[in-house]
Amino acid sequence: MAAARAYARVLRGAGARAEALAVLETRAGKAKGETDITGGITRVGDEMVRTVLYEAANVLLSRVTRFSALKRWGLEVAKRRGLKRAKVAVARKLAVILHRMWVDGTTFRWTPPKAARA
């Protein structure tokens, strides 16, 4: 029901177009108990990039022996939600990390910086 309250707030401040958008969005999801499920990850974007990110996440979680904070986080997600969802979550996190590395020009650190460890 939290989503309904949020839509009501949007509708109070906007016109008919916002109302139409809110209706379309609510129809796309499912309501289950008190949580609103609005849908999963879409298949928008380059298919090859999604495939490579998923494969990299699979390798990181299953084959790489060197431990990292990313692998630890992925294994924790796998315990809670299952390995398939963990691979998708790690793939998304890898995409964010790679984008930041590309923008900043930094390199990947397997461990946190020394100042953060203390």
Side-chain angles (χ1 to χ4, degrees):
M1 284 301 160
R5 278 182 252 137
Y7 290 135
R9 270 187 254 125
V10 169
L11 294 178
R12 270 186 244 127
R17 181 174 176 169
E19 185 177 350
L21 291 174
V23 169
L24 287 174
E25 190 171 332
T26 56
R27 288 184 184 159
K30 299 177 192 173
K32 188 174 184 180
E34 291 193 14
T35 58
D36 290 337
I37 302 169
T38 56
I41 294 176
T42 62
R43 290 187 172 90
V44 176
D46 189 7
E47 183 180 354
M48 186 59 77
V49 172
R50 284 195 318 271
T51 302
V52 170
L53 284 171
Y54 185 84
E55 287 179 10
N58 182 33
V59 169
L60 180 72
L61 290 177
S62 59
R63 301 202 184 280
V64 174
T65 57
R66 187 171 182 183
F67 221 72
S68 68
L70 182 60
K71 181 172 182 170
R72 179 187 48 77
W73 178 81
L75 291 175
E76 288 174 2
V77 172
K79 268 191 221 172
R80 287 191 314 265
R81 304 287 291 170
L83 193 57
K84 283 186 178 182
R85 287 186 187 217
K87 288 175 188 176
V88 172
V90 170
R92 184 185 182 282
K93 205 161 217 182
L94 267 175
V96 171
I97 290 170
L98 289 171
H99 181 259
R100 284 311 318 165
M101 289 171 56
W102 182 37
V103 170
D104 295 345
T106 58
T107 58
F108 181 75
R109 292 187 308 261
W110 284 93
T111 59
K114 291 183 181 187
R117 278 191 248 165

